[in-house]
Amino acid sequence: MRHLKKTVKLGRTSAHRSALFASLVCNLIERGRIRTTLPKARAARSLADRMVTLAKRGTLADRRRAIARLRRPERVARLFRDIAPAFADRKGGYTRVLKLGRRVGDGAEMALLEWTNYTPPEPRKKKPAKEKKADSDAKA
């Protein structure tokens, strides 16, 4: 029985799993929102929340612990500089998982993992199509 066993193995070795979660959380820090499978999103959510908690404390030891876990000092710097102050008044639940449905290729259930204060960027407006030159109208 799996009582009190929280680790989600996802069919990977422990080193592969830790690298996967570090990569997912670093991409979440960079982009604000990532699309992945539902089990990966749920597992990465706990690491992301723990990293925000470390960043909110903000000591040198916490920064070193985050770098050791995420392996990218530039992402950790952004976490400590930009993301943690945005959650200063929040006590937990820094991320959310939104279900997207099933992937076409293999039927895996997909999800969005995003920060709770994430606001999507404005969609780009299309440029108006250029009108044809008057020369082509004169020829016709």
Side-chain angles (χ1 to χ4, degrees), residues 14 17 23 31 72-73 130 133:
S14 60
R17 204 168 40 247
S23 176
R31 296 187 177 101
R72 293 190 188 165
K130 294 182 180 180
K133 294 182 181 180

Side-chain angles (χ1 to χ4, degrees), residues 27 44 57 87 93 107 117 124:
N27 287 326
R57 279 189 276 171
F87 292 115
N117 62 359
R124 295 182 189 173

